[in-house]
Amino acid sequence: MRSHGCGDLRRDAVDQTVQLCGWVDRRRDHGGLIFLDLRDRSGTIQITVDPELAGNLRNETVLQVVGRVQLRPEESLNERLATGAVEVIASQLTVLNAIKKTLPFAVSVHDDGNVREELRLRHRYLDLRRERMARNLRLRHSTIRAARTFLEGEGFIEVETPILTRSTPEGARDYLVPSRVCGGEWFALPQSPQLFKQLLMVGGLERYYQVARCFRDEDLRADRQPEFTQLDIEVSFLEQEEILDLNERLIAAIWKTAKGIELPLPFPRLTWQEAMDRYGTDRPDTRYGLELVDVSDIATHSGFKVFSGAVAAGGAVKCIAIPGGNEALSNVRIKPGGDVFSEAQAAGAAGLAFIRVIEGVDPETSFDVGGNLVGINTIGAIKDGFTKAQMAELLERSGATPGTLLLFGAGDTATVNKALDRVRQYLARELGLVPAEASNEAWNFLWVVDFPMFGFNSEENRLEALHHPFCAPNPADLGSDPASWAAALPSARAQAYDLVLNGLELGGGSLRIHDSALQRQVLQTIGLPQEEAERQFGFLLEALDLGAPPHGGIAFGLDRMVMLLAGEESIRDTIAFPKTQQARCLLTQAPADVAAQQLRDLHVASTWSDAD
RNA sequence: GGGACUGUAGUUCAACCGGUUAGAGCACCGCCCUGUCACGGCGGAAGUUGCGGGUUCGAAUCCCGUCAGUCCCGCCA
């Protein structure tokens, strides 16, 4: 049916008779002569057709062409087309499938590429024919292939784990599947293969990976789909540092294959505490400065009640120093109603105090900062609330020089961090501090390590696992005596790590607990009653007692990784058939009604009514 | 669960403060054209302005509801 790909024809094919198959990308009808651009996945080639041969050749008609390859006339070469030196003189055209309806949108890249996403999803097969999606799916393929090739070389074995599994507590909502055979009982789709990959380690595989589909029934975002793909990895007998080393070499191999970029190794490491202190987030974007500076110790002694009160209540006062901020950011923008202020507010901050650092003129009202005389512009309450020495120390610590704008957050530490993190990211974009996509600084990898084991869930008034309840605590924080574990665990650090790229979490993992007593203690710490722990995780606890090796691993968000590699802003553009924000498939109209008999077979009755 | 934005011809967009016969490019249909490559020229068809209600002499435009899509907050161990 086909002898060549459309995009493969070059000068060396001249005089050959070829058979091509593909879609009509465009046609240019000159009356006595018709030019067709025929497109297949390899590219596009111009076909020259005698009108006698041509029937109805609308765009996207599926065509077989038999013809001879010919060098184009000198004046008709097309430099912009890979096949632009040649053309095929058609001797025979066969319409393999005609276009029988109006096209919902144009496929050819030459037409307006901006099509409503709703339409693209409803006719995804057409969208996949377009250059952008074709490129993204190939990039996804080469990303996965690079990972497989690398892991193969490191002795890993790819193992599939169940899609029908059991529901486990904590974490996201499960997608449930009723069991017909075991009436009244339910499977859950896996939120991740977490327990199975640990059991594979107990099973002696030592090195496992999987391109694993995961399911979480939570509300969606641009980078969240109800089903998504993790590159899931687990190893035995490796220390944390060895795991990090392995994984950054994996990432480097992927970036080399997919983008041709050599990433410098090792990636920087930052402790969770340092990340929170300096950036206010556990996934900092370190491509630009604007770091957070903690001035709580100075503020606590000041007469400015907003500051001293925040610290007295156990909170913090932190600031961001913005060099040149005085000129770049007007008072309107940083006061209530302004865009910068609104960013802080949106993150929960009550306000955003500021100090403008200026040239010092009058020694009376100026401050000696590292031998330089600087002055300030700010509200009276701040000016009056600080002693000269306090203000000088604050200015010195923030690194401010004349022209610098200082923005302050005060309140409970979590809110201050959240607000200033948001302001920092907003300002970096506004002030153009984020490096361009093409530059080397555009790929800023970073390991965040030493996460705490637990965070406090104030709604449920209990500790919860920050990562998941199978992370191993840092032995240095735990002590060797099991009797001390219960007291030491709540404040212990985990042997957990996240890989962060440009402020986005690309993956995360940990060493796992391989001691059943410690595992029981952790489950107890997060408030899971003993009987419940046995019922839910008995199989794991038993496995730990039957020769579980020390092990650990990681999982990368593959969709997100490909999204970043492709320069896309939504993971939907890296998935062949994604769902909408309402978790609906516009192509198949899923989810959909089922027959009443299907429900009866499954021992399920729906309580849904449209009035709900 | 909450907030914001969007919905006009097959499609991408326009239509200013409530008053037009709701326009334009591409696609589609017809005619012309042998070197174009986003070909060109002439002509044509194409609209329940997402849907339902309201305000008004008059609604694409204002208001309410609803559906769909997008972004965000909550949520996502």
Side-chain angles (χ1 to χ4, degrees):
Chain A
M1 190 172 231
R2 170 156 71 175
S3 65
H4 292 74
C6 293
D8 299 335
L9 297 178
R10 296 291 185 275
R11 284 172 190 274
D12 60 6
V14 165
D15 286 336
Q16 287 187 41
T17 296
V18 296
Q19 292 180 303
L20 302 175
C21 291
W23 289 262
V24 174
D25 194 61
R26 297 193 81 76
R27 66 179 189 287
R28 293 173 293 281
D29 187 342
H30 288 239
L33 173 74
I34 300 172
F35 297 108
L36 285 182
D37 289 340
L38 191 69
R39 181 192 72 237
D40 65 16
R41 66 176 215 160
S42 66
T44 305
I45 177 83
Q46 172 163 288
I47 314 287
T48 307
V49 184
D50 187 312
E52 302 280 303
L53 277 175
N56 184 11
L57 296 173
R58 287 169 54 174
N59 291 345
E60 299 311 308
T61 300
V62 189
L63 217 54
Q64 185 198 35
V65 175
V66 181
R68 206 170 52 82
V69 180
Q70 172 181 291
L71 208 58
R72 288 192 184 198
E74 189 64 39
E75 67 280 8
S76 297
L77 300 178
N78 187 343
E79 299 289 333
R80 286 173 298 171
L81 200 61
T83 58
V86 296
E87 60 190 343
V88 172
I89 311 301
S91 54
Q92 191 185 319
L93 283 192
T94 309
V95 172
L96 300 176
N97 210 343
I99 293 298
K100 303 182 185 81
K101 304 179 111 177
T102 303
L103 285 170
F105 54 86
V107 172
S108 169
V109 290
H110 303 297
D111 288 291
D112 198 318
N114 182 24
V115 178
R116 252 197 3 260
E117 191 172 12
E118 198 177 337
L119 266 187
R120 292 174 53 204
L121 293 181
R122 198 177 300 283
H123 302 278
R124 190 60 154 181
Y125 41 85
L126 280 182
D127 194 34
L128 296 180
R129 247 181 249 165
R130 307 205 308 165
E131 175 62 27
R132 174 185 179 184
M133 281 306 299
R135 187 178 358 106
N136 288 353
L137 290 186
R138 286 182 195 200
L139 182 63
R140 186 180 179 111
H141 165 74
S142 60
T143 300
I144 294 174
R145 194 194 47 197
R148 283 205 163 104
T149 302
F150 174 85
L151 292 167
E152 171 72 24
E154 296 284 335
F156 281 76
I157 294 172
E158 184 170 9
V159 182
E160 292 151 282
T161 54
I163 295 295
L164 295 174
T165 180
R166 67 169 296 149
S167 177
T168 51
E170 288 223 40
R173 257 179 235 109
D174 286 319
Y175 277 98
L176 295 176
V177 180
S179 167
R180 177 183 59 83
V181 182
C182 308
E185 296 185 306
W186 301 76
F187 295 104
L189 306 184
Q191 295 180 24
S192 80
Q194 182 58 38
L195 291 171
F196 288 109
K197 67 170 164 174
Q198 292 190 232
L199 293 167
L200 287 172
M201 294 303 102
V202 184
L205 273 88
E206 296 194 21
R207 292 186 167 218
Y208 140 93
Y209 80 98
Q210 180 181 194
V211 179
R213 193 64 64 89
C214 306
F215 306 85
R216 293 178 192 175
D217 187 6
E218 293 292 347
D219 289 344
L220 307 182
R221 292 285 188 278
D223 61 352
R224 273 164 31 192
Q225 282 275 299
E227 49 181 312
F228 61 99
T229 304
Q230 282 185 346
L231 177 57
D232 196 45
I233 294 171
E234 196 80 2
V235 294
S236 298
F237 307 124
L238 288 188
E239 313 270 356
Q240 173 168 317
E241 226 5 83
E242 295 170 307
I243 294 179
L244 299 191
D245 169 73
L246 175 79
N247 280 290
E248 54 192 26
R249 286 189 290 115
L250 163 66
I251 293 295
I254 290 173
W255 253 251
K256 181 84 172 87
T257 304
K259 297 289 278 190
I261 291 173
E262 297 273 2
L263 295 175
L265 297 182
F267 298 150
R269 277 116 221 235
L270 201 61
T271 66
W272 177 87
Q273 192 61 54
E274 201 176 350
M276 296 305 292
D277 289 346
R278 289 169 54 192
Y279 303 96
T281 174
D282 59 6
R283 45 185 173 83
D285 189 339
T286 58
R287 286 175 295 174
Y288 47 86
L290 304 183
E291 291 189 22
L292 277 51
V293 179
D294 194 329
V295 294
S296 303
D297 56 317
I298 306 172
T300 189
H301 298 113
S302 81
F304 183 47
K305 289 288 186 296
V306 174
F307 282 7
S308 57
V311 183
V317 179
K318 297 171 88 166
C319 75
I320 300 178
I322 305 145
N326 281 351
E327 193 158 338
L329 299 166
S330 66
N331 274 1
V332 173
R333 300 184 66 181
I334 60 178
K335 285 185 170 178
D339 58 335
V340 180
F341 188 94
S342 300
E343 287 295 320
Q345 210 169 28
L352 195 63
F354 70 91
I355 294 177
R356 291 185 182 277
V357 182
I358 56 177
E359 297 282 353
V361 277
D362 177 5
E364 276 298 302
T365 56
S366 299
F367 306 91
D368 179 10
V369 176
N372 296 317
L373 209 56
V374 302
I376 58 170
N377 264 338
T378 182
I379 59 170
I382 291 179
K383 207 172 269 179
D384 301 339
F386 283 81
T387 66
K388 200 154 182 180
Q390 285 171 340
M391 184 56 73
E393 190 185 354
L394 190 155
L395 293 174
E396 172 119 35
R397 186 180 301 171
S398 69
T401 57
T404 299
L405 170 65
L406 300 176
L407 293 177
F408 293 83
D412 71 88
T413 309
T415 306
V416 169
N417 279 335
K418 202 171 169 187
L420 291 185
D421 166 41
R422 186 158 167 159
V423 167
R424 177 175 177 268
Q425 291 189 52
Y426 179 76
L427 288 177
R429 284 194 305 274
E430 284 292 308
L431 302 176
L433 302 179
V434 182
E437 198 64 43
S439 71
N440 279 340
E441 298 78 41
W443 305 106
N444 186 239
F445 286 91
L446 167 73
W447 289 108
V448 176
V449 299
D450 291 348
F451 279 74
M453 283 287 286
F454 308 100
F456 187 70
N457 184 330
S458 50
E459 248 169 57
E460 297 177 27
N461 196 34
R462 64 175 184 87
L463 291 176
E464 62 185 1
L466 211 65
H467 204 104
H468 56 58
F470 316 108
C471 291
N474 191 321
D477 297 348
L478 200 60
S480 51
D481 178 10
S484 67
W485 288 353
L489 263 178
S491 59
R493 288 169 300 167
Q495 298 184 77
Y497 34 83
D498 275 2
L499 183 63
V500 175
L501 169 57
N502 298 348
L504 294 173
E505 183 191 331
L506 204 58
S510 64
L511 297 188
R512 326 296 185 188
I513 298 167
H514 61 276
D515 177 300
S516 67
L518 182 54
Q519 184 64 72
R520 280 193 175 83
Q521 186 60 56
V522 167
L523 292 173
Q524 191 178 319
T525 303
I526 60 171
L528 201 65
Q530 180 118 24
E531 322 79 69
E532 193 65 11
E534 292 297 335
R535 202 172 66 78
Q536 299 275 3
F537 298 114
F539 64 97
L540 174 71
L541 295 167
E542 185 178 32
L544 295 184
D545 281 335
L546 294 172
H551 62 287
I554 197 165
F556 295 102
L558 186 79
D559 313 280
R560 197 176 284 180
M561 189 184 291
V562 176
M563 176 183 91
L564 291 166
L565 287 167
E568 293 286 359
E569 291 189 346
S570 163
I571 62 170
R572 291 187 300 277
D573 290 321
T574 72
I575 297 172
F577 300 103
K579 294 180 175 56
T580 69
Q581 196 162 49
Q582 297 303 310
R584 207 173 263 289
C585 172
L586 295 182
L587 180 58
T588 63
Q589 299 294 307
D593 281 340
V594 295
Q597 185 58 46
Q598 287 177 283
L599 292 183
R600 283 195 290 275
D601 287 348
L602 292 167
H603 322 287
V604 168
S606 174
T607 61
W608 173 262
S609 69
D610 287 331
D612 284 355

